[in-house]
């Protein structure tokens, strides 16, 4: 009963390097999300995927790309990391269908530092 | 977009005390959730409550959608209740917007 699993848990990148954050859920949820949380702040939506095969931009999509690989997996890619992308990244999933929204389940987060 | 304001920003309690956290939002919503982020950073969904009242143990929540606010009640607080409480709302489909949170510290 893993829920939402994120890898890696910690990462340090140099400016300009690329990396992919992985997220997988085992709850058969339709929708998945990527958020970032900066110190002392709430979470901001980067990208989301309402269902397999679809992705949409959230509040802060610049500098990121996503892939909904299948129903279980939703990855976040930083093509050229910048210090401003230093943050904690959370993946979440929910059982959402047209007209209905349900509670989110979050992963444990990835703490990313860009130097 | 929808604005979410939480109050108070910080709260310090003695173990056993009760508290009320408030979430105001600027527009109609069809999704409102309360989360607890523990000191280790884990986010736990407490309530999915776009309207009405729910209770879970020492926690309860009420959302008055017509007046655009929600309240989270914590009774008989314990040190394990410490952390940050977030309210998040969505007026459309699949775009939860988070407030800045209420940071709670419960002392023994």
């Amino acid at each position: 009963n893993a829920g939402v699993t994120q890898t890696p848990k910690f990462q340090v990148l140099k400016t300009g390097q690329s990396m992919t954050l992985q997220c997988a859920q085992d709850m058969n949820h339709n929708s998945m999300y990527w958020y970032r949380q900066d110190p002392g702040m709430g979470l901001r939506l980067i990208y989301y995927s309402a269902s397999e095969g679809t992705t949409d931009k959230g509040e802060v999509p610049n500098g990121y790309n996503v892939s909904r690989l299948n129903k279980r997996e939703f990855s976040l890619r930083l093509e050229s990391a910048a210090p401003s992308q230093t943050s904690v990244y959370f993946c979440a999933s929910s059982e959402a269908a047209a007209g209905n929204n349900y509670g989110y389940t979050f992963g444990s987060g990835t703490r990313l530092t860009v130097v | 977009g929808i604005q979410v304001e939480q109050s108070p920003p910080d709260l310090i309690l003695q173990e056993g005390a009760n508290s009320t956290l408030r979430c105001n939002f600027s527009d109609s919503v069809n999704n409102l959730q309360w989360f607890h982020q523990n000191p280790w950073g884990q986010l736990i969904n407490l309530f999915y409550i776009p309207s009405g009242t729910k209770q879970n143990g020492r926690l309860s929540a009420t959302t008055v959608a017509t007046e655009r606010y929600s309240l989270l009640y914590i009774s008989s607080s314990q040190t394990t209740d410490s952390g940050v409480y977030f309210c998040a709302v969505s007026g459309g489909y699949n775009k939860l917007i988070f407030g800045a949170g209420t940071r709670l510290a419960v002392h023994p």
Side-chain angles (χ1 to χ4, degrees), chain A residues 7-112:
Chain A
T7 56
K9 294 191 183 303
F10 301 93
Q11 184 71 49
V12 178
L13 290 179
K14 294 182 179 179
T15 298
Q17 285 185 317
S18 62
M19 78 162 296
T20 300
L21 281 64
Q22 306 288 350
C23 176
Q25 52 93 7
D26 62 1
M27 296 169 286
N28 203 36
H29 285 169
N30 288 322
S31 300
M32 298 184 73
Y33 317 86
W34 277 105
Y35 283 85
R36 63 177 286 175
Q37 183 179 28
D38 299 315
M41 297 179 65
L43 281 72
R44 292 183 293 169
L45 181 63
I46 304 172
Y47 271 93
Y48 68 99
S49 171
S51 60
E52 186 179 355
T54 69
T55 60
D56 285 287
K57 295 178 180 179
E59 302 170 76
V60 288
N62 291 343
Y64 305 95
N65 287 301
V66 291
S67 295
R68 182 74 183 266
L69 304 171
N70 48 55
K71 191 170 186 179
R72 289 188 64 249
E73 299 172 287
F74 187 39
S75 63
L76 178 71
R77 182 161 178 83
L78 287 70
E79 291 291 352
S80 179
S84 61
Q85 294 178 304
T86 294
S87 189
V88 180
Y89 291 84
F90 288 97
C91 177
S93 70
S94 73
E95 182 52 51
N100 293 303
N101 291 278
Y102 300 99
Y104 283 28
T105 300
F106 277 87
S108 57
T110 295
R111 188 173 297 275
L112 174 67

Side-chain angles (χ1 to χ4, degrees), chain A residues 31 33 35 37 41-43 48 50 57 59 90 96-97 101-104 106-108, chain B residues 30-31 33 35 37 41-43 45 48 86 92-100 103:
Chain A
S31 300
Y33 317 86
Y35 283 85
Q37 183 179 28
M41 297 179 65
L43 281 72
Y48 68 99
K57 295 178 180 179
E59 302 170 76
F90 288 97
N101 291 278
Y102 300 99
Y104 283 28
F106 277 87
S108 57
Chain B
N30 61 6
N31 188 343
Q33 299 182 39
F35 295 89
Q37 187 168 39
Q42 182 68 32
L43 282 156
N45 188 302
Y48 166 73
F86 290 106
Y93 183 65
N94 281 342
K95 282 189 174 183
L96 269 189
I97 304 299
F98 280 72
R103 188 172 302 274

Side-chain angles (χ1 to χ4, degrees), chain B residues 1 4-5 13 32 37 43 64 77 94:
Chain B
V4 183
E5 293 184 0
L13 298 175
L32 188 146
Q37 187 168 39
L43 282 156
V64 184
S77 58
N94 281 342

Side-chain angles (χ1 to χ4, degrees), chain B residues 10-17 19 21 35-44 46 58-59 72 74-86 102-108:
Chain B
D10 296 282
L11 188 58
I12 300 174
L13 298 175
Q14 208 68 28
E15 200 168 27
S19 62
L21 282 59
F35 295 89
H36 175 222
Q37 187 168 39
N38 65 25
W40 296 271
Q42 182 68 32
L43 282 156
I44 305 298
L46 299 175
R58 296 181 296 103
L59 302 181
L72 178 69
I74 304 174
S75 65
S76 303
S77 58
Q78 300 176 358
T79 56
T80 53
D81 295 330
S82 297
V84 184
Y85 290 81
F86 290 106
T102 292
R103 188 172 302 274
L104 174 65
V106 181
H107 297 306

